[in-house]
Amino acid sequence: QSVLTQPPSVSAAPGQTVTISCSGSSSNIGKYYVSWYQQLPGTAPKFLIFDNDKRPSGIPDRFSGSKSGTSATLAITGLQTGDEAVYYCGTWDASLSGGGVFGTGTTVTVL
Amino acid sequence: QVQLVESGGDLVKPGGSLRLSCAASGFSFSDYYMIWIRQAPGKGLEWIAYIGSSVDIVDYADSVKGRFTISRDNAKNSLYLQMNGLRAEDTATYYCARSYGVIINWYFDLWGRGTLVTVSS
């Protein structure tokens, strides 16, 4: 059961910008770093962002992350058809059950 | 080549058992935490178990605690998931992934392609 809430879908035309929100609480996003993953259709998730706003090598700077309070945001600028995918946020959770948590996932559609 | 390759997925009856494997190559396997993450058909991601770089640190999601066992063999660069008492709700693609740790290092920079487990009579 996901405890991080994301919008089910966002869309924009090629070249435009989309933002994906990830809403949590003081026991997860409010306390720990957030990471982001891209899952292209029929493939495994791919590592996009770590420590809220850091990009691994090979990830273009069109992808950026930020965090404020108990929410995080992934922005994709200069949208391309190859960006059509489901995007997930993730972090640790300090609640009783503990462990990691993922967001509900957001489908990005390029119009 | 830096990669993770899962195997062992199959069709199994409710109550049955299955052992998944994940073969690592191209990096120093023993330096990393390893995690199993699953994805039910059409659903989101769910971490189910992690194991530290040595074998003395393990934990499980409540959904599998007491039924699944994670283990690793650093000499063989391999990760395992023993699944007992399988239920229909365990039907999913199971991914192994690499991590630098838990809590502040809880992110996964390398994923396998996944192996499908189907639990059905």
Side-chain angles (χ1 to χ4, degrees):
Chain A
Q1 292 79 5
S2 300
V3 299
L4 305 180
T5 302
Q6 299 178 233
S9 63
V10 296
S11 60
Q16 299 296 303
T17 297
V18 294
T19 60
I20 301 168
S21 60
C22 174
S23 179
S25 69
S26 58
S27 69
N28 43 65
I29 292 179
K31 198 183 283 289
Y32 303 112
Y33 288 127
V34 176
S35 55
W36 289 90
Y37 306 88
Q38 175 195 60
Q39 188 172 33
L40 298 170
T43 69
K46 175 184 175 182
F47 185 43
L48 269 189
I49 297 285
F50 68 105
D51 290 358
N52 303 330
D53 57 9
K54 296 181 175 60
R55 283 185 309 276
S57 60
I59 300 300
D61 59 7
R62 300 188 298 106
F63 294 90
S64 63
S66 62
K67 188 182 97 167
S68 178
T70 59
S71 292
T73 300
L74 175 70
I76 310 173
T77 60
L79 200 62
Q80 301 176 0
T81 55
D83 297 332
E84 287 202 329
V86 180
Y87 292 81
Y88 294 95
C89 56
T91 188
W92 189 260
D93 191 282
S95 63
L96 279 178
S97 57
V101 289
F102 287 104
T104 48
T106 298
T107 299
V108 170
T109 301
V110 182
L111 300 173
Chain B
Q1 184 179 2
V2 177
Q3 64 177 0
L4 298 169
V5 179
E6 303 93 337
S7 60
D10 204 349
L11 171 63
V12 61
K13 288 181 168 48
S17 297
L18 207 56
R19 189 194 196 208
L20 305 184
S21 299
C22 170
S25 59
F27 65 97
S28 182
F29 179 72
S30 60
D31 286 345
Y32 294 88
Y33 276 60
M34 297 298 296
I35 290 91
W36 286 101
I37 295 166
R38 71 183 179 185
Q39 185 172 36
K43 301 296 184 182
L45 302 172
E46 177 191 19
W47 84 276
I48 55 171
Y50 69 78
I51 185 166
S53 50
S54 59
V55 298
D56 54 340
I57 300 173
V58 297
D59 202 5
Y60 302 89
D62 289 345
S63 57
V64 306
K65 198 168 290 186
R67 301 187 298 124
F68 290 11
T69 302
I70 189 172
S71 62
R72 67 189 298 163
D73 185 336
N74 288 339
K76 294 183 178 180
N77 291 334
S78 292
L79 175 72
Y80 306 102
L81 185 69
Q82 178 65 44
M83 303 186 294
N84 298 330
L86 283 161
R87 306 166 180 166
E89 55 264 36
D90 295 319
T91 294
T93 296
Y94 286 72
Y95 298 101
C96 65
R98 183 178 80 173
S99 175
Y100 289 84
V102 295
I103 308 179
I104 63 171
N105 292 319
W106 185 253
Y107 53 85
F108 318 108
D109 68 337
L110 180 67
W111 297 64
R113 291 186 178 183
T115 188
L116 179 62
V117 173
T118 303
V119 184
S120 174
S121 54

